Amino acid sequence: MASGTTLALDLIAFVVSILLFLRVNKWRMRKGLCLPPGPPRLPIVGNLFGMPRESSWLTYTEWGKVYGDIISVQVFGQAVVVLNSAKVARDLLEKKASIYSGRPTIPMFELMKWSWFEMSNTYSAKWRLQRKMLDRGLRPSAAVHYRSMEKDKVHRFLKQLLSRPKEFLKHIEHLQGAITMSLVYGYDVEEENDGYIKLALDTNEIGQRTMLPGSVIVNDLPFLKHLPEWLPGMGFKALARVGEKLGQEVVNRPFTLVKSNMQLGTARRCMTRENLLEAEGTHVSNPEEVDLAIAEASASVYNAGVDSTVSAISTLFLALILHPDVQATAHAELDTVTGGQRLPDYGDRSQLPYVEAVCKEVLRWRNVAPVGVPHATTDDDIYDGYIIPKGTTVISNIWAILHDPRVYPDPDKFKPERFLMPDGRVKEDATLTAVFGFGKRICPGRHLVESTLFIVAASLMATYTIGKAKDPQGNEIPVDGTYTGATILSFPKEFKCSVVARSNKAEELIRKDTWGNAAA
């Protein structure tokens, strides 16, 4: 016989399900209006059992072939609308940004107390303050001040590849962590197992696997967060405690370091220091509140920056392994510009259109965040005859947008030349900006990502040849090119490769003490 507690839980679940079911169906009763089409739904639970848990972008793309560029699913009455084309995404997320710039409530983030994370915050006064701080530190004019630092980190990366080429994935992770920590906090990462990088990676791992609809059960059944932890299926609560602790450390630990260095007069130029100095100059009446806003804005960049570009640089390596002809063309262009006598620099960017096209194709071919970060409607909307109710989760399927054969013929092929005009100049491509999101929620660090990827790609291909690794018998080790698909960011699954200096001169350039001066 069932216990009283079990019966009570069943009753709660049943009542909540009915209420949600009725909430959704009120839209169906509006004459001529319904949600966008989508796969068949079961009563009450909707598409609960059909929601993709792995590589959701591929499932959404296949559904789009059947139901169109705008589709919908439901889980216990909560509508999720997926946008599968650039036109629909722009029509809604940009032209109607005033009602499509919200973020869905993420019950797991509420449990972890992640209100500090700008990327998931709803459109509000707090978010606008955070965004202002991020834009100040990440705009192109500000990024110029950090170019010397970036080159220093990239040079160290080239040396690491020379001494331990088999650990290239670890070096990529260290490179991006070092750039992010220096940019945001003025902290120089020396050790590859640095605690600050590990902290960000651990925090990201939890955030990525608990953000999307269907990723954890409490996101689909929010009432579960009110139930006791000892009940079966409540394991997400223990994970939430870990996430809360990590989040507090991410916000406070590096921020406190900057504040301490400022008091000592040793703080380097960085985004956090500049925002603190700006706040001091405006004589704010609530310094503690402003400090918290700066700490949270910095933590958002810290967290987002450590992981995202790692995926893009890893994809660069993979693309060069699988497409030696692309690498050969880039080598020739780089040698024409540098003469093989120096490392390429930011000033060479306009003279390296093919290298630039390689970077663009890396971002398009294997998107860092294939479904982006979900938006949410803050009011009812009608689009193309469909109702999109207030509170709907809206997902832009960036993978589908950047693999649309109507825009990119042979979308699964890695073809940098698709971004070049007949005269060899780089082609402007408005669709590619989808990789950074849409509207008011577009990634504030997009300019930094593009410049970092360029200097890494140009420096790497100027000095190294990337190829397939070989086993002890001399046979090439196959590379299947598969990607992870369970979190909001997608990474190449671990692969092996050969990293060999192109020439004695290239090795000499790598071993120099600085970007331009030979070692004594």
Side-chain angles (χ1 to χ4, degrees), residues 256-419:
T256 301
L257 176 68
V258 176
K259 290 275 285 186
S260 175
N261 287 341
M262 289 180 70
Q263 290 172 356
L264 294 171
T266 59
R268 299 176 181 176
R269 181 179 185 128
C270 61
M271 195 181 85
T272 303
R273 191 194 75 166
E274 298 309 299
N275 276 323
L276 284 167
L277 291 174
E278 177 78 14
E280 287 178 6
T282 55
H283 305 291
V284 294
S285 58
N286 49 350
E288 290 184 0
E289 184 177 322
V290 173
D291 272 12
L292 179 60
I294 294 172
E296 292 182 341
S298 296
S300 295
V301 179
Y302 168 35
N303 246 44
V306 167
D307 251 352
S308 55
T309 311
V310 170
S311 173
I313 298 173
S314 300
T315 291
L316 170 66
F317 272 74
L318 182 64
L320 296 180
I321 294 171
L322 297 177
H323 303 89
D325 55 323
V326 168
Q327 188 170 191
T329 303
H331 283 167
E333 181 181 74
L334 283 157
D335 290 347
T336 298
V337 172
T338 67
Q341 299 302 304
R342 63 177 177 84
L343 292 176
D345 214 325
Y346 292 99
D348 299 317
R349 195 167 178 178
S350 63
Q351 300 178 69
L352 295 169
Y354 191 80
V355 172
E356 184 79 12
V358 169
C359 294
K360 289 181 179 292
E361 183 69 340
V362 162
L363 295 174
R364 184 208 67 84
W365 182 58
R366 294 293 182 263
N367 320 140
V368 171
V371 292
V373 180
H375 290 229
T377 52
T378 55
D379 205 346
D380 299 341
D381 187 34
I382 297 174
Y383 179 76
D384 201 21
Y386 300 118
I387 183 72
I388 303 177
K390 177 181 179 180
T392 296
T393 296
V394 181
I395 293 175
S396 51
N397 188 356
I398 295 170
W399 172 273
I401 291 169
L402 297 181
H403 287 77
D404 187 340
R406 296 169 294 186
V407 182
Y408 302 104
D410 299 322
D412 291 326
K413 292 186 178 180
F414 188 86
K415 296 169 60 177
E417 57 270 21
R418 71 172 82 245
F419 291 105

Side-chain angles (χ1 to χ4, degrees), residues 90-386:
R90 290 199 190 99
D91 284 350
L92 299 183
L93 305 182
E94 293 182 352
K95 294 179 181 179
K96 297 185 176 183
S98 61
I99 62 172
Y100 281 87
S101 295
R103 291 294 196 208
T105 298
I106 305 174
M108 190 64 180
F109 276 28
E110 289 182 325
L111 284 172
M112 295 191 297
K113 300 179 181 177
W114 274 29
S115 61
W116 57 270
F117 195 36
E118 179 272 339
M119 194 181 294
S120 64
N121 274 345
T122 190
Y123 189 67
S124 62
K126 176 180 178 177
W127 177 83
R128 287 191 291 272
L129 176 60
Q130 284 185 321
R131 187 63 180 227
K132 181 181 179 181
M133 293 174 176
L134 297 183
D135 288 340
R136 184 188 299 135
L138 297 172
R139 63 182 183 267
S141 59
V144 171
H145 296 290
Y146 303 110
R147 285 183 173 178
S148 177
M149 174 273 292
E150 279 196 290
K151 290 195 299 182
D152 177 64
K153 306 305 182 190
V154 172
H155 201 177
R156 185 185 300 178
F157 170 66
L158 297 178
K159 291 181 178 180
Q160 289 171 330
L161 288 174
L162 193 63
S163 61
R164 288 173 290 137
K166 292 182 180 180
E167 298 178 27
F168 70 100
L169 291 173
K170 183 184 293 185
H171 302 326
I172 293 171
E173 191 176 273
H174 178 263
L175 166 66
Q176 190 52 33
I179 290 174
T180 302
M181 283 301 301
S182 185
L183 175 97
V184 181
Y185 299 110
Y187 173 80
D188 191 21
V189 173
E190 294 286 351
E191 302 297 327
E192 292 195 16
N193 58 349
D194 183 88
Y196 284 106
I197 295 179
K198 185 178 187 306
L199 173 60
L201 292 174
D202 289 346
T203 308
N204 279 348
E205 194 273 333
I206 287 182
Q208 289 170 30
R209 66 185 173 104
T210 60
M211 178 180 286
L212 293 177
S215 57
V216 284
I217 191 171
V218 72
N219 285 353
D220 294 327
L221 301 173
F223 70 90
L224 293 178
K225 66 184 179 182
H226 302 296
L227 301 183
E229 188 173 342
W230 52 263
L231 287 170
M234 298 294 112
F236 62 85
K237 292 203 168 189
L239 182 62
R241 286 198 303 276
V242 175
E244 180 182 356
K245 181 181 178 183
L246 288 171
Q248 290 173 348
E249 280 196 73
V250 159
V251 172
N252 296 318
R253 189 170 149 200
F255 178 77
T256 301
L257 176 68
V258 176
K259 290 275 285 186
S260 175
N261 287 341
M262 289 180 70
Q263 290 172 356
L264 294 171
T266 59
R268 299 176 181 176
R269 181 179 185 128
C270 61
M271 195 181 85
T272 303
R273 191 194 75 166
E274 298 309 299
N275 276 323
L276 284 167
L277 291 174
E278 177 78 14
E280 287 178 6
T282 55
H283 305 291
V284 294
S285 58
N286 49 350
E288 290 184 0
E289 184 177 322
V290 173
D291 272 12
L292 179 60
I294 294 172
E296 292 182 341
S298 296
S300 295
V301 179
Y302 168 35
N303 246 44
V306 167
D307 251 352
S308 55
T309 311
V310 170
S311 173
I313 298 173
S314 300
T315 291
L316 170 66
F317 272 74
L318 182 64
L320 296 180
I321 294 171
L322 297 177
H323 303 89
D325 55 323
V326 168
Q327 188 170 191
T329 303
H331 283 167
E333 181 181 74
L334 283 157
D335 290 347
T336 298
V337 172
T338 67
Q341 299 302 304
R342 63 177 177 84
L343 292 176
D345 214 325
Y346 292 99
D348 299 317
R349 195 167 178 178
S350 63
Q351 300 178 69
L352 295 169
Y354 191 80
V355 172
E356 184 79 12
V358 169
C359 294
K360 289 181 179 292
E361 183 69 340
V362 162
L363 295 174
R364 184 208 67 84
W365 182 58
R366 294 293 182 263
N367 320 140
V368 171
V371 292
V373 180
H375 290 229
T377 52
T378 55
D379 205 346
D380 299 341
D381 187 34
I382 297 174
Y383 179 76
D384 201 21
Y386 300 118

